[in-house]
Each structure stands twice: as structure tokens, then as C-alpha cells.
Amino acid sequence: QVQLVQSGAEVKKPGASVKVSCRSSGYTFTSYDVNWVRQATGQGLEWMGWMNPNSGNTGYAQKFQGRVTMTRNTSISTAYMELSGLTSEDTAVYYCARAPTVPTGHYYYMDVWGKGTTITVSS
Amino acid sequence: DIQMTQSPSSLSTSVGDRVTITCRASQSISTYLNWYQQKPGKAPELLIHAASRLQSGVPSRFSGSGSGTDYTLTINSLQPEDVATYYCQQSYSTPYSFGQGTKVDIK
């Protein structure tokens, strides 16, 4: 079945970087964008950015520009999100979610989500 | 950036009641509006996209409507399994912002 399997929880020190993986199965990896959304404990959802696995094109929320990098390895149908310069405010669950790749002007939505990866930033 | 504001932030109601959640955008988003349900400890799930299109497999008691800046999610005849937090999200322009969420509980 269609699913996104994320890497396991990590604990990082302030200032470090973290790289989360998101492996897809059950569909053609290059036909859907991968979005990343995070959620701090007890808080709402925060959209971080998107990546087109076919072209490698990306778009990041301004808040994360310069700190986030989204990449992919099409040979293993896996997307990655790397976040650098971690602070305690980056402690959250990070979700990957696929969205049908559509032309500009078409409806865009995230229809399959991974289970989430907990990143804890603590000294 | 487009700001999304949901109301109420929480509600508690009885099984079988009708629930209405509203979402207002800071500018027109032309029905580029999605609704997600998130149950405790779980990832969000897509309920509705394009303001009113029900995702496959979602019960028909869920419906969405709206245009311009104002949108509504309605749950007809609330069921115990609908206890969750509901989020709207605009996909009109990046960053694809979410509302702050509406927590739905059973009395």
C-alpha cells in the first residue's frame, strides 16, 4: 500500500544538524511532491517547504531559508530534510507528506503522511 | 504571507450533534483550502481539498464549503471517532499556512 516511512527519533545538541529521511512505497516516487511539516508538542502544524523529486526543485518557507535543505535519492525512493543550526525551538515532530505534482493554478493538497520523526534538541 | 484563523479553538459537544468549524484567510484564497484531521498521537489525515471535495474514504458526514476568505467544515452527526483536532490549510500561495487548529471533544 501507499506509505511514507520516516527515520527514527533523534536527540541533538544545540547548534547541530539533523537529517530526516522519508522512504516512499506503493506509488511512483517522482510523480508526487514531498512536503515537510513540523509540530512542536501541544502546538499546531507548521509548513516548512516542498520538493519535487523528479526535478529536485524546492521551495522553502522564509522562516527556514538558509537552514533547511530538502533532497532526494530517486534510486531508493527516499526524500530527506536536513535542518541545521538547531535550537531548542526546533524540538518537534517532523512529518513528510506527499502531494500530487500539479501545474501552477491547480489544487494542491497533502494526501499521504508519514508517521512523524521526533527531533529533540537539548544540551 | 497568508494568515489562517480558525474558530472556535475548541468545542465540546454530544454524539449525534452537528459541528461547524470556520476558517478565515487574510486574503482571498479562491477555494485553495484543505481540511485535515489529526487524532491524538497520530499524523494528520486529509479530509477535504479544494474547499469542498471529499477525500476518498472519508465518511460523508464530513463536508466543506466556502469561497473567497471564509470557509467551513461541517460534521453532521458527530461520532466518537471524530474526536480530534481539525486544521485548515491554504494552498493558494507559499508558505502553505495552517490555521491554529480546532479541538473537538465529546461531552
Side-chain angles (χ1 to χ4, degrees), chain A residues 35-38 45-48 93-95 110 113, chain B residues 98:
Chain A
N35 286 250
W36 291 88
V37 174
R38 76 177 187 179
L45 302 171
E46 182 175 30
W47 183 81
M48 299 179 69
V93 176
Y94 289 75
Y95 295 101
M110 294 176 276
W113 293 63
Chain B
F98 290 89

Side-chain angles (χ1 to χ4, degrees), chain B residues 11-21 61-62 73-80 82 86 104-107:
Chain B
L11 64 92
S12 184
T13 190
S14 301
V15 172
D17 282 357
R18 184 181 198 182
V19 170
T20 300
I21 299 168
R61 63 180 178 274
F62 290 92
L73 173 69
T74 300
I75 311 173
N76 281 306
S77 188
L78 186 75
Q79 299 301 301
D82 300 334
Y86 294 84
V104 175
D105 218 338
I106 302 284
K107 272 184 190 172

Side-chain angles (χ1 to χ4, degrees), chain A residues 4-7 19-25 27 29 32-36 50-54 58 69-82 95-98 117:
Chain A
L4 298 172
V5 178
Q6 297 187 224
S7 48
K19 191 171 186 177
V20 180
S21 68
C22 173
R23 177 173 52 86
S24 74
S25 62
Y27 71 94
F29 177 61
Y32 291 79
D33 290 353
V34 176
N35 286 250
W36 291 88
W50 64 270
M51 180 193 65
N52 180 309
N54 188 43
T58 57
T69 305
M70 296 177 188
T71 58
R72 86 289 192 211
N73 182 334
T74 55
S75 66
I76 56 172
S77 301
T78 300
Y80 303 91
M81 186 282 298
E82 184 169 21
Y95 295 101
C96 61
R98 78 167 197 181
T117 297

